[in-house]
Amino acid sequence: MKVIVQKILAERGLCSRREGERLVLAGKVRVNGTIARIGMLADPEKDTIEIAGMKDAPPKETIAVYK
């Protein structure tokens, strides 16, 4: 399911949604190698998002086991 890029950044704990908007406006965010725009949608599980050249891979599944 596609979600706005700023929301993905915020959910992954990389920045707030407002800060994500500033990064997108500054041209520092790329989705699959394409410069992101405000309102751009991305699939958080499939797409690769880069912030200022640092790649943020899709999240891996975590399994917690309790005794």
Side-chain angles (χ1 to χ4, degrees):
M1 184 167 149
K2 295 198 174 207
V3 181
I4 294 175
V5 175
Q6 301 90 282
K7 185 174 180 181
I8 295 171
L9 296 174
E11 287 176 349
R12 292 185 183 174
L14 301 172
C15 60
S16 67
R17 288 181 75 170
R18 297 288 181 214
E19 182 62 26
E21 287 180 10
R22 287 187 205 98
L23 291 170
V24 169
L25 286 172
K28 295 183 179 183
V29 179
R30 292 179 178 260
V31 177
N32 296 329
T34 304
I35 295 175
R37 305 175 316 277
I38 293 293
M40 183 175 190
L41 300 175
D43 189 339
E45 296 184 15
K46 296 180 183 177
D47 295 328
T48 302
I49 299 173
E50 298 177 35
I51 302 174
M54 297 185 328
K55 289 187 180 181
D56 179 43
K60 295 179 182 174
E61 188 174 332
T62 303
I63 299 174
V65 179
Y66 297 98
K67 283 184 160 184

